[in-house]
Amino acid sequence: MSKLAGKVAVVTGASKGIGAGIAKALAAEGAAVVVNYASSKAGADAVVEAITQAGGKAVAVQGDVAKADQAEGIIQAAITNFGRLDVLVNNSGVYEFAPIEAITEEHYRRQFDINVLGLLLTTKAAEKHLGEGASIINISSVVTSVLMPQSAVYTGTKGAVDAITGVLANELGPRKIRVNAINPGVVETEGTHEAGVVGSEMEAGFAAQTPLGRVGQPEDIAAVAVFLASDDSRWLTGEKIAASGGLR
């Protein structure tokens, strides 16, 4: 039997990249998936089509996780369409690097609103629907240990994600709801292509620092998400799993 048969999952920011990879992997293991997107309807629709063509169940749902009413709507879509919620993947996130002298209020607020407030609002909306055995998976980043120059704000958001993961693991543990984080290294996605990372000296530099000798692929992260969503990880909560090929 598929590991997630009968389960329902919400994946935020799932129209491309890591989120799309996670949504497809969860569906491939039997979960019905809400594919959330903020702006790329075409991307989310393509993910849903890929899932349904493979025999899975999915629906695309627009919503800005940093707005409380929209975060509530994303979660409600799981209940309306599939009748329950078992897995929440807080993947929505943005990144923008700047040296300390270039940091602005807008730079700070955009990243903290989506990466931190969005996670909190979506989890708040979801927790009342989650029962024993449910899994919340927060997508953090290996930047919290690599500590890259010019990433003070972005790294700050992911440090907050790591800390919140531990707090919520303790807070929701009595209800037998597990909360863990995945901390990816550099992953080849549309975003890292657009940023000019993939194919650059920067990519080569990261690959050289990575014991396994390459940057990651979305499916590398998705496999860890499937593990954390399933009963295979039933004894794990409050963990931060570096999915980085050994990059630290």
Side-chain angles (χ1 to χ4, degrees), residues 11-245:
V11 184
T12 66
S15 64
K16 60 183 179 180
I18 290 172
I22 290 173
K24 292 173 186 176
L26 295 179
E29 286 293 340
V33 183
V34 171
V35 177
N36 162 250
Y37 68 97
S39 57
S40 180
K41 183 178 187 301
D45 286 344
V47 173
V48 169
E49 183 177 4
I51 289 171
T52 56
Q53 284 188 348
K57 296 179 182 178
V59 60
V61 176
Q62 195 277 334
D64 180 347
V65 296
K67 302 282 197 308
D69 59 337
Q70 294 184 44
E72 186 74 41
I74 295 164
I75 299 303
Q76 189 57 46
I79 308 306
T80 301
N81 286 278
F82 304 120
R84 58 184 293 153
L85 180 63
D86 305 281
V87 178
L88 171 62
V89 182
N90 284 308
N91 171 74
S92 286
V94 293
Y95 57 88
E96 181 180 80
F97 301 126
I100 186 64
E101 64 269 19
I103 289 174
T104 63
E105 293 178 24
E106 181 182 13
H107 171 85
Y108 173 92
R109 288 183 175 138
R110 177 170 181 258
Q111 293 184 79
F112 266 89
D113 279 358
I114 295 173
N115 298 3
V116 182
L117 178 60
L119 179 153
L120 290 168
L121 291 176
T122 307
T123 304
K124 177 186 176 183
E127 62 86 19
K128 57 183 170 286
H129 300 290
L130 297 173
E132 183 171 333
S135 176
I136 297 172
I137 303 165
N138 297 326
I139 305 303
S140 183
S141 173
V142 79
V143 295
T144 59
S145 58
V146 172
L147 304 175
M148 294 167 50
Q150 303 190 15
S151 73
V153 173
Y154 177 66
T155 298
T157 69
K158 294 306 185 178
V161 169
D162 284 354
I164 289 166
T165 297
V167 169
L168 292 179
N170 287 334
E171 188 170 331
L172 300 178
R175 292 171 50 192
K176 304 300 183 286
I177 297 169
R178 298 180 298 104
V179 187
N180 294 286
I182 303 174
N183 296 52
V186 179
V187 177
E188 182 178 358
T189 63
E190 294 90 338
T192 50
H193 273 279
E194 290 169 10
V197 173
V198 175
S200 71
E201 290 183 8
M202 186 182 300
E203 179 190 7
F206 278 120
Q209 295 174 61
T210 303
L212 293 183
R214 64 173 176 86
V215 300
Q217 297 297 317
E219 53 266 32
D220 296 324
I221 313 306
V224 182
V226 168
F227 167 69
L228 289 175
S230 76
D231 288 342
D232 288 347
S233 60
R234 59 190 173 275
W235 195 231
L236 271 64
T237 197
E239 299 295 342
K240 301 184 292 290
I241 299 177
S244 63

